[in-house]
Structure formats: structure tokens, C-alpha cells
């Protein structure tokens, strides 16, 4: 056939216009990682410092994780020398970096200035990673709407009356950060069990609607629509739903037993919805029961969570092996299956094998 190079300019333009029209008619879908395994990321707060110590044994995990996720206050409080050490590791291994931030802060002003105020507050902390020579690929916005509609620790009773108004502040916060760091992309993180979904109850079934903070179906939609309209780079979501909640074994305030709801199906349904909307889907894998008890139980139940979710047909883009609990205390050696890197090693082997982990 005739090569494109000899097409007349007019024909070329016509072809281009048709191509653009066709592209705009096709809905963008986020493809699940078909034939590609979910990326495995590590998030362990300050305990990551153990992995920077000479002689820390985690060579397999070091080579095979895709990213490191940090907490914004961890970035803020880490000694600059330690931070430079961490940045050297990240650079040498070419890890992606995410920082979990509030997005909109519940100790900020409860008015139309909250978004900008919160962004300025968190930018000052994020900058410390840049000062150490690092860069941020993603910011994970941890429950910004909940922080404004159901703020914690306020004595003045002030809060936002609607999720819609709160979502406007999320846009303001993201826009302010985007102005300073235009290459950073954003994920919207939810503590999924604390919300109702599509009219159904939340895990604890509290409040007049039995949905605790409200219906996450609405919150997800509002944040997505407003950020898309503002042309800001929201590229995915992160779900925080520890294993004991996923299988309905954590104590519920009002549901006896909580296993009467299929929580796993709800998370899978949310993942499918995000795919249809062209969003990436990240799943935090951990166990609250294990995190409060021991390294061994945390490892065992977190591994089981990965098994249960993948066997049920889940296809997350990323698995964040993440703790904010007292356990696991030991990060290494990876040869010990109960340490954090020992657990991560087994998860990497599990997703590659696609079979069962056993336990």
C-alpha cells in the first residue's frame, strides 16, 4: 500500500481527524494487568529504616518490588541523612514512590479555604523528599471527604455539611499541588468498610442510614467527576480493607454476624467499576488482627488475603503490603517468612505462580 509519507497534506489531515473522532468515541478503559502480575509495593513507615542498615538481608525483595509508599509525616520527621539514604536506594532500584497524604485536613479551616490550606501544609512536608534528591510519582489521598464531613479531634463541632462541598475542596487541594509538581499523579484512597456502598450498610452499620460516613458510591463519583472536569490527574483508587474485614470476622458494632454481608464481593464490584471508568485499582493487603498480635499472624493472614482476593477473580494493578500497626516489628531477613520482607517475598512468588500460597 501507499506509505503515509506520500499522502497529501489534506488526506493526512482527514485521516487524522477521523482517527481522533474514533478515539474520542471509544471509552477509555483501564486494562487489568492481563498476563502481567500486579506490582508489589512496600509500605512500613519508619520501620523501612531497618532495610537501610548494612547487612539487612532482603536481596530478592529489593530486586522485585516496584515501589515504596511512604506516609507524609514519616517524610516530614525522618532525619535528612536517613532520607538521603532512602533516596539512594530508591534511585538505585528505580522504584516508584507514593506518599500517603490527607488531601484535605480535618484540623484545617472548615470553610472554602481548606483545600488550599491543606495543600500548603502538606507541600511543606513533601518538599523534604525533594530536598533529599528524591521525587514523588503518586500521592494517595487518604479519605479527604471523610476528613471534612466527619472530622476527628475537633472540639468546635465544625464540619462540611455535604460530600459535594467537601469534594470541591479536594479539587482545590489537588490543583494547588499540581501547580507545584505537575508530574505527580493522584490516587483516591478509601477506608472501604467504614462506608456504605450502593445503598447497603457499612461494616459497623452505625448512624441513621446504617452507613457510618455515608454512601461511598456517591463520594467516589463526586471526586472522580470534579477532578476530571478540572482536568487534574486522578489516575486511580486505593482500597484499605484489612483481611479480617474482608472475610467478615472482625467484630461489628451492629451486624451480628458481620459475615452476613459479602464484603469480598463488594470490593470486587468496586474494582470492576473502577476498570470501567478507566481507573487503576490498588489494594492494601494486611490484617488488623495480625497487626495487633504478632509478626507471624500478620504474615499468615496478609498472605491469605492475597490468596482469597486473587482466587475470587480480583486483578489489582498494585498490592500495597502495608502496615500502620505495631506488627510486624521485624523487616528482615527475608528468609524468615514472618518478617515484612519474608511476607513480601512469599506474595511475589504467589502472584507469579498464580497458584495457592499455602500457609
Amino acid at each position: 500500500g501507499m506509505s503515509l509519507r506520500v499522502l497529501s497534506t489534506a488526506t493526512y489531515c482527514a485521516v487524522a481527524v477521523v482517527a481522533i473522532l474514533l478515539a474520542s468515541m471509544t471509552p477509555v478503559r483501564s486494562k487489568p494487568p492481563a498476563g502481567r502480575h500486579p506490582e508489589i509495593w512496600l509500605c512500613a513507615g519508619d520501620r523501612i529504616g531497618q532495610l537501610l542498615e548494612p547487612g539487612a538481608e532482603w536481596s530478592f525483595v529489593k530486586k522485585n518490588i516496584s515501589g515504596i509508599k511512604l506516609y507524609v509525616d514519616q517524610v516530614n520527621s525522618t532525619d535528612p541523612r536517613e532520607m538521603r539514604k532512602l533516596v539512594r536506594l530508591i534511585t538505585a532500584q528505580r522504584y516508584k514512590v507514593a506518599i500517603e497524604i490527607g488531601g484535605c485536613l480535618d484540623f484545617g479551616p472548615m470553610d472554602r479555604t481548606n483545600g488550599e490550606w491543606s495543600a500548603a501544609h502538606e507541600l511543606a512536608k513533601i518538599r523534604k523528599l525533594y530536598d533529599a534528591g528524591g521525587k514523588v510519582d503518586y500521592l494517595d489521598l487518604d479519605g479527604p471527604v471523610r476528613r471534612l464531613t466527619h472530622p476527628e479531634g475537633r472540639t468546635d463541632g465544625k464540619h462540611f455539611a455535604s460530600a459535594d462541598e467537601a469534594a470541591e475542596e479536594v479539587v482545590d487541594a489537588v490543583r494547588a499541588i499540581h501547580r507545584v509538581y505537575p508530574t505527580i499523579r493522584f490516587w483516591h484512597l478509601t477506608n472501604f468498610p467504614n462506608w456504605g456502598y450502593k445503598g447497603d450498610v457499612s461494616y459497623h452499620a452505625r448512624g441513621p442510614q446504617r452507613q457510618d460516613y455515608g454512601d461511598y458510591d456517591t463520594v467516589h463519583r463526586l471526586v472522580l467527576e470534579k477532578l476530571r472536569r478540572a482536568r487534574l490527574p486522578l489516575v486511580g483508587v486505593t482500597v484499605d480493607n484489612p483481611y479480617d474485614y474482608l472475610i467478615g470476622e472482625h467484630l461489628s458494632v451492629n451486624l451480628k454476624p458481620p459475615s452476613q454481608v459479602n464484603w469480598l464481593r463488594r470490593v470486587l464490584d468496586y474494582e470492576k467499576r473502577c476498570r470501567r471508568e478507566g481507573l487503576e485499582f490498588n489494594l492494601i493487603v494486611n490484617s488488623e488482627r495480625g497487626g495487633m498480635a504478632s509478626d507471624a499472624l500478620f504474615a499468615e493472614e496478609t498472605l491469605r488475603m492475597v490468596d482469597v482476593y486473587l482466587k475470587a477473580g480480583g486483578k489489582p494493578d498494585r498490592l500495597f503490603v502495608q502496615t500502620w500497626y505495631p506488627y510486624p516489628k521485624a523487616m528482615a531477613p527475608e528468609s524468615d517468612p514472618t518478617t515484612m520482607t519474608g511476607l513480601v517475598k512469599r506474595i511475589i512468588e504467589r502472584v507469579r505462580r498464580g497458584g495457592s500460597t499455602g500457609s
Side-chain angles (χ1 to χ4, degrees):
M2 183 171 59
S3 93
L4 272 183
R5 267 183 316 229
V6 297
L7 285 176
S8 73
T9 310
T11 315
Y12 190 79
C13 289
V15 169
V17 166
V18 170
I20 288 164
L21 284 172
L22 283 172
S24 66
M25 284 154 60
T26 315
V28 181
R29 282 192 176 230
S30 154
K31 289 187 185 60
R36 175 173 80 67
H37 310 300
E39 293 178 3
I40 310 297
W41 287 48
L42 179 65
C43 178
D46 303 341
R47 280 165 263 184
I48 202 160
Q50 292 179 34
L51 300 179
L52 303 173
E53 287 166 15
E57 195 262 296
W58 64 298
S59 56
F60 175 85
V61 168
K62 190 190 285 184
K63 270 206 298 282
N64 288 285
I65 56 171
S66 300
I68 298 269
K69 187 179 175 195
L70 307 166
Y71 298 113
V72 71
D73 285 325
Q74 169 193 0
V75 173
N76 187 47
S77 61
T78 299
D79 173 83
R81 274 184 316 242
E82 278 292 290
M83 186 55 81
R84 283 195 294 275
K85 221 188 279 182
L86 180 59
V87 165
R88 280 199 294 277
L89 168 73
I90 287 165
T91 308
Q93 299 298 326
R94 298 195 176 153
Y95 294 146
K96 295 265 187 245
V97 175
I99 300 181
E100 194 174 292
I101 66 171
C104 290
L105 301 171
D106 39 12
F107 50 88
M110 283 291 154
D111 58 35
R112 286 306 315 265
T113 65
N114 183 285
E116 291 88 349
W117 185 93
S118 299
H121 188 86
E122 298 200 288
L123 278 166
K125 298 178 177 182
I126 293 163
R127 206 162 286 127
K128 297 193 175 181
L129 185 76
Y130 285 87
D131 291 345
K135 69 182 268 292
V136 180
D137 299 286
Y138 301 95
L139 290 175
D140 215 355
L141 307 168
D142 178 18
V145 171
R146 192 280 304 155
R147 289 169 193 269
L148 297 187
T149 55
H150 296 81
E152 284 172 8
R154 282 191 87 96
T155 49
D156 60 9
K158 287 184 178 172
H159 63 94
F160 274 69
S162 76
D164 190 89
E165 287 173 282
E168 290 291 339
E169 295 312 299
V170 179
V171 174
D172 290 347
V174 170
R175 187 185 286 118
I177 295 168
H178 181 63
R179 233 176 252 140
V180 180
Y181 296 117
T183 62
I184 291 181
R185 287 160 294 173
F186 296 82
W187 296 318
H188 185 201
L189 188 162
T190 174
N191 184 321
F192 207 47
N194 281 341
W195 294 85
Y197 191 64
K198 294 185 173 174
D200 207 349
V201 295
S202 61
Y203 197 90
H204 292 293
R206 290 171 295 208
Q209 311 296 316
R210 302 181 78 218
Q211 292 191 315
D212 277 73
Y213 299 142
D215 199 312
Y216 201 70
D217 179 47
T218 307
V219 172
H220 170 94
R221 184 179 50 76
L222 286 169
V223 171
L224 177 62
E225 284 175 1
K226 289 178 192 290
L227 285 171
R228 284 203 165 152
R229 208 174 302 137
R231 305 207 162 165
L232 291 165
L234 179 73
V235 296
V237 306
T238 299
V239 167
D240 164 13
N241 197 120
Y243 176 66
D244 26 337
Y245 290 86
L246 192 70
I247 57 170
E249 284 184 9
H250 193 283
L251 182 77
S252 165
V253 174
N254 291 325
L255 297 180
K256 311 286 183 215
S259 56
Q260 64 189 273
V261 175
N262 190 328
W263 306 104
L264 172 61
R265 191 185 301 144
R266 188 181 288 190
V267 179
L268 290 163
D269 178 75
Y270 184 50
E271 183 192 314
K272 287 200 185 83
R273 173 217 191 118
C274 292
R275 294 258 163 257
R276 287 194 300 273
E277 294 170 333
L279 293 167
E280 300 167 355
F281 186 83
N282 309 318
L283 182 67
I284 293 173
V285 290
N286 60 22
S287 154
E288 181 163 311
R289 192 161 56 189
M292 300 309 283
S294 69
D295 289 17
L297 191 63
F298 183 89
E300 182 192 329
E301 295 207 329
T302 301
L303 193 58
R304 215 176 290 154
M305 179 174 181
V306 173
D307 240 3
V308 164
Y309 195 76
L310 298 183
K311 271 197 185 132
K315 291 186 166 62
D317 292 279
R318 293 172 196 84
L319 292 173
F320 295 149
V321 189
Q322 182 167 347
T323 185
W324 50 86
Y325 304 116
Y327 298 94
K329 292 197 187 297
M331 293 290 105
E334 68 183 8
S335 55
D336 175 347
T338 68
T339 67
M340 189 66 152
T341 54
L343 164 64
V344 173
K345 181 172 192 278
R346 290 197 290 167
I347 290 174
I348 292 166
E349 289 165 350
R350 159 72 180 92
V351 302
R352 289 187 177 170
R353 219 176 29 244
S356 173
T357 44
S359 62

